[in-house]
Amino acid sequence: MEQRAGGSRIVDFDLEKQTVRELNQYLHKELPKNGVEEVRIFNPDGAHHIAVGMDAPAKVDIMGNAGYFVAGMNKHAEVTVRGSVGWSVAENIMSGTVRVEGYASECAGASGRGGLLVIEKDASSRCGISMKGNDIVVGGSVGHFSAFMAQAGRLVVCGDAGDGLGDSLYEAVIYVRGEMKGLGADAREEPTTEEDHASLAGLLERAGFDHDTEEFKRVASARSLYHWNADRDQGY
Amino acid sequence: MGIDREDVAGLEESSLYNRRVQAWIQTAAERGRYDIRGLGAKRKVPHFDDLTFLTGSASRYPLEGYRERCDTETVLGSRYAKNPIRLDIPITFAGMSFGSLSANVKEDLGRAATELGTSTTTGDGGMTDEERDSSETLVYQCLPSRYGFDPDDLRRADAVEVVIGQGAKPGGGGMLLGQKISERVADMRTLPAGIDQRSACRHPDWTGPDDLTIKIEELREITDWEIPVYVKVGATRVENDVKLAVKAGADVVVVDGMEGGTAATQDVFIEHAGIPTLAAVSQAAEALEDMKMTGEVQLIISGGIRTGADVAKAIALGADAVSIGQGAMFALGCNSEVWHDENGEPVSAVEDYEKLGTKPGFCHHMHTGMCPVGIATQDPELEKRLDPEWGARRLRNYFQTLNMELTTLARACGKSNVHHLEKEDLASLTIEAAAIAKVPLAGTDWIPGKF
Ligand code: SF4
């Protein structure tokens, strides 16, 4: 049902009455052509795949908890989840913004290539796994093995980080404000530079947090796994 | 041949510690590391060669060779996809990565596939414009590494293949050594150029079979349920894996046996993991039958399919189509003594093989990036050794030959459609094949373990 609010065109979907498939087909096929600026989704009730494959610069407001893969492969859209999300929110995100006002389960922002994912509360394990250029800001803490094999992009953790942080990192950079339970293979803490502070300040501002950047530690790759070496630790 | 008295007397070679094994141990002792190499298992395993066709006679009525019609049309992905794949032949090109192969080769595969009315498949490293533009039907792989994975490419694909494993290294992920990570490859994979690159062995955003169901639905939602979703597994616990893939909602299951090739992985993995394709096809077909999904979910078999006879036997055992990787490499001149210059003149590559420490016929050195015939390389000079026109023609001829052999055998079995080939058209030549493929030993009705 379409309505106008403050001059912008808004369409509402109610997942008690409509299916996720109908919603996604609308978002893919009609929305890019019809000039609607905002879509509100009521009664998401933990459904999977809400607003996956977005390819238009619209606002999508999900009024409750969502399941797996919400906003997966997002391009251009600004998606807000007014609740918590299941696994792999914004996986393979390319651009745009995805904001989760609650908590995120595992693999948040996995393998994303651009754009920004904000989790206002905590994210579970493997947050930012395999990330390839996206930015993730977590207001709370992240679980173990976060940023595993992360290739590019920035993961900002305003709370604590679980064990094995940044295991097998490539060129992604992690900033952690709280405690780090343990670093993964080839991840190391490094001094922060002016550049780090500037980039972190920009990200925090976009994410809506006002922490002092001096409180953050920087973790990056020691690059000792960049070349396969038979003589190194045989545990690997 | 008589017994060599000298051997018996004093020079008897150990079968366990023969000269090859001794040399291997000595090399291991010298280097302290395992070998990494390309291609597939070299050891002898039970294979399609161990089966033969029971072609027409008094009890079966054959069709006239190359006169009477024998259909080869193949439909893949009819279970849920709005637009299933329709191929003219049941022989497809397997996924091979840009990075491992040059952009020219990827383009060749696409051109040949288009001319043949079949499909080709991307690989680790994403989709190149060259292969999309040249391929009428392109299957886009969704691999654990997700290198270069792009929703725009997904939307322009004709099918998507979730790769769980590969026959050469089931459970093993992948490697692309630094010498092959050119600027373009690095850029597509979001990695620094020149580093040894590890392709993940697990998907980043899902783990078990229940998650796979949800992942498949995500891919369907993004593509509006239009294109088929394939699931590819390396052949290990085939029965369970096929059943789980079907339950997870796959339209097509691809099973890759241990003879399947790779660009680079540990030799120990290539030779000692997975089960032969012959065993895999039978188990996979039985799993579909058990689930009453034969015909609804299609089965593609790959790993060591070389000839039209191999294709026909795979189909008779229950495959809907086959996929070929290494055969395509050989068609392009892999392991050939020569490459061809711009005038089509042969130029010896023997010295270049020697530089790699090998010889034509024995090369498995794609991991080096210094392919003597310009196939598995990112080196601009070496790439020039493979003329795209020439390559596409060779691939087309090779697949055409396979298809002719396939239809010849099918007609001789009295089939007007290659998909009508069945197990009853086969006999086994060895006890192993009879037990594995559950095809009676030739001249008997005996299937070991069954009757
Ligand atoms: S000839 Fe080239 S493609 Fe063939 S095995 Fe050697 S390096 Fe690989």
Side-chain angles (χ1 to χ4, degrees):
Chain A
M1 186 212 306
E2 184 174 334
Q3 47 186 280
R4 285 177 188 272
S8 60
R9 294 173 63 198
I10 300 176
V11 164
D12 288 343
F13 267 80
D14 183 347
L15 293 186
E16 256 183 10
K17 301 189 182 101
Q18 291 155 294
T19 63
V20 171
R21 200 180 306 184
E22 284 165 342
L23 165 71
N24 285 331
Q25 297 203 353
Y26 170 82
L27 295 174
H28 301 159
K29 296 194 161 148
E30 289 176 49
L31 182 77
K33 293 183 285 189
N34 67 11
V36 165
E37 288 130 329
E38 188 173 346
V39 177
R40 294 187 305 194
I41 299 156
F42 293 91
N43 295 311
D45 210 14
H48 303 316
H49 320 307
I50 296 176
V52 292
M54 284 293 299
D55 191 14
K59 273 188 175 174
V60 177
D61 244 341
I62 301 167
M63 308 305 217
N65 300 325
Y68 279 40
F69 296 114
V70 57
M73 303 196 202
N74 187 62
K75 274 183 82 185
H76 310 301
E78 200 182 301
V79 181
T80 305
V81 184
R82 304 200 184 277
S84 295
V85 295
W87 277 47
S88 305
V89 55
E91 69 88 16
N92 218 120
I93 179 175
M94 301 296 287
S95 61
T97 310
V98 177
R99 175 179 291 276
V100 177
E101 292 186 348
Y103 298 86
S105 186
E106 300 202 22
C107 314
S111 210
R113 298 180 60 198
L116 172 67
L117 168 65
V118 180
I119 312 287
E120 294 191 0
K121 302 232 165 69
D122 299 331
S124 182
S125 49
R126 292 180 287 166
C127 176
I129 180 174
S130 180
M131 55 197 280
K132 296 174 171 61
N134 53 326
D135 291 317
I136 304 176
V137 181
V138 179
S141 300
V142 294
H144 72 277
F145 254 60
S146 287
F148 174 56
M149 284 179 99
Q151 296 171 223
R154 295 167 294 181
L155 169 63
V156 180
V157 183
C158 300
D160 303 330
D163 225 352
L165 180 69
D167 195 285
S168 308
L169 264 182
Y170 290 98
E171 295 292 293
V173 180
I174 309 169
Y175 300 101
V176 183
R177 183 160 158 265
E179 298 293 313
M180 295 185 284
K181 192 157 182 218
L183 295 177
D186 210 30
R188 69 175 180 199
E189 203 179 317
E190 294 179 344
T192 48
T193 62
E194 281 308 306
E195 223 177 287
D196 286 315
H197 288 287
S199 118
L200 192 48
L203 262 180
L204 287 169
E205 195 189 343
R206 281 175 65 204
F209 297 104
D210 61 0
H211 301 298
D212 181 354
T213 61
E214 294 290 346
E215 295 169 1
F216 286 82
K217 297 171 274 290
R218 173 192 157 101
V219 173
S221 174
R223 299 177 179 155
S224 69
L225 292 175
Y226 274 22
H227 293 281
W228 180 65
N229 176 358
D231 294 327
R232 69 179 304 284
D233 182 352
Q234 291 295 308
Y236 296 88
Chain B
M1 206 164 71
I3 295 172
D4 184 331
R5 289 192 167 276
E6 239 184 329
D7 274 1
V8 177
L11 291 176
E12 188 179 355
E13 185 166 13
S14 163
S15 66
L16 200 58
Y17 292 95
N18 58 34
R19 277 166 286 180
R20 276 199 61 221
V21 174
Q22 290 171 22
W24 183 86
I25 292 174
Q26 280 149 10
T27 309
E30 203 175 295
R31 294 192 197 147
R33 63 176 163 78
Y34 47 50
D35 277 334
I36 292 176
R37 70 169 176 87
L39 294 183
K42 294 190 175 188
R43 60 147 86 200
K44 187 164 166 46
V45 294
H47 188 259
F48 294 110
D49 278 347
D50 302 328
L51 301 176
T52 186
F53 275 102
L54 305 174
T55 46
S57 60
S59 53
R60 285 282 172 111
Y61 185 79
L63 299 185
E64 211 58 71
Y66 76 87
R67 294 271 170 174
E68 282 184 286
R69 193 171 170 78
C70 181
D71 286 327
T72 54
E73 200 204 8
T74 302
V75 179
L76 302 170
S78 52
R79 185 184 186 191
Y80 292 123
K82 273 184 219 156
N83 305 320
I85 300 276
R86 287 179 192 283
L87 304 176
D88 292 343
I89 57 172
I91 311 166
T92 66
F93 288 110
M96 291 176 276
S97 75
F98 165 67
S100 162
L101 304 181
S102 71
N104 277 351
V105 173
K106 291 299 284 177
E107 188 183 332
D108 272 350
L109 292 164
R111 278 162 62 170
T114 301
E115 285 178 40
L116 290 154
T118 188
S119 63
T120 185
T121 313
T122 64
D124 212 359
M127 184 189 287
T128 64
D129 286 339
E130 290 95 324
E131 72 182 329
R132 177 61 281 186
D133 294 346
S134 61
S135 314
E136 169 104 20
T137 306
L138 182 60
V139 181
Y140 187 33
Q141 288 193 326
C142 177
L143 290 124
S145 73
R146 302 290 166 85
Y147 290 138
F149 197 85
D150 190 322
D152 289 340
D153 291 336
L154 178 60
R155 284 184 274 263
R156 62 181 182 150
D158 300 291
V160 56
E161 179 172 290
V162 179
V163 179
I164 296 175
Q166 198 180 327
K169 46 183 176 182
M175 293 176 100
L176 195 62
L177 297 184
Q179 53 268 48
K180 291 180 89 168
I181 311 281
S182 66
E183 291 290 341
R184 183 176 177 199
V185 172
D187 192 47
M188 280 183 73
R189 297 179 182 219
T190 327
L191 283 170
I195 70 164
D196 295 335
Q197 167 265 283
R198 163 89 198 149
S199 290
C201 65
R202 298 187 300 268
H203 282 261
D205 53 346
W206 63 274
T207 50
D210 293 337
D211 297 343
L212 174 60
T213 308
I214 310 174
K215 179 68 194 173
I216 288 175
E217 273 171 21
E218 185 213 19
L219 294 167
R220 290 199 191 281
E221 283 293 325
I222 291 174
T223 54
D224 297 319
W225 294 71
E226 283 171 4
I227 63 173
V229 180
Y230 298 11
V231 172
K232 176 175 179 174
V233 294
T236 51
R237 294 172 184 84
V238 175
E239 186 189 346
N240 290 346
D241 288 344
V242 168
K243 286 183 174 176
L244 289 171
V246 171
K247 192 166 169 289
D251 291 300
V252 175
V253 183
V254 183
V255 181
D256 192 22
M258 73 180 290
E259 300 96 310
T262 174
T265 207
Q266 297 93 330
D267 177 75
V268 68
F269 223 133
I270 300 175
E271 297 290 354
H272 298 280
I275 64 169
T277 306
L278 180 65
V281 62
S282 297
Q283 275 200 325
E286 275 176 15
L288 290 179
E289 261 168 53
D290 258 15
M291 297 183 88
K292 304 204 176 0
M293 282 289 169
T294 306
E296 188 164 347
V297 171
Q298 285 80 35
L299 176 64
I300 301 182
I301 287 294
S302 58
I305 307 275
R306 312 149 302 168
T307 63
D310 292 347
V311 179
K313 290 169 188 175
I315 291 176
L317 289 174
D320 293 281
V322 300
S323 235
I324 293 185
Q326 290 173 97
M329 303 282 92
F330 289 115
L332 287 169
C334 164
N335 269 293
S336 164
E337 282 186 12
V338 295
W339 54 278
H340 294 85
D341 67 14
E342 60 275 22
N343 304 316
E345 293 301 320
V347 181
S348 173
V350 174
E351 257 183 45
D352 294 313
Y353 283 104
E354 276 165 10
K355 280 187 210 148
L356 297 176
T358 188
K359 290 179 179 176
F362 301 92
C363 184
H364 52 216
H365 290 58
M366 34 266 279
H367 58 289
T368 64
M370 302 305 291
C371 176
V373 289
I375 301 169
T377 185
Q378 293 296 317
D379 180 300
E381 282 309 307
L382 289 173
E383 261 188 68
K384 285 187 200 148
R385 295 186 177 184
L386 183 72
D387 172 47
E389 292 283 338
W390 182 86
R393 193 166 63 243
R394 302 264 305 187
L395 290 169
R396 197 187 57 226
N397 288 345
Y398 171 50
F399 268 35
Q400 193 171 297
T401 307
L402 298 189
N403 201 49
M404 287 164 85
E405 289 189 340
L406 164 65
T407 51
T408 297
L409 287 167
R411 282 194 194 91
C413 291
K415 315 292 187 193
S416 58
N417 185 317
V418 294
H419 296 292
H420 296 165
L421 284 165
E422 56 197 323
K423 238 182 196 177
E424 285 64 32
D425 295 319
L426 293 169
S428 293
L429 298 172
T430 66
I431 293 173
E432 282 93 342
I436 287 172
K438 299 183 185 68
V439 167
L441 188 65
T444 76
D445 56 4
W446 182 47
I447 296 175
K450 257 205 155 176
F451 303 108

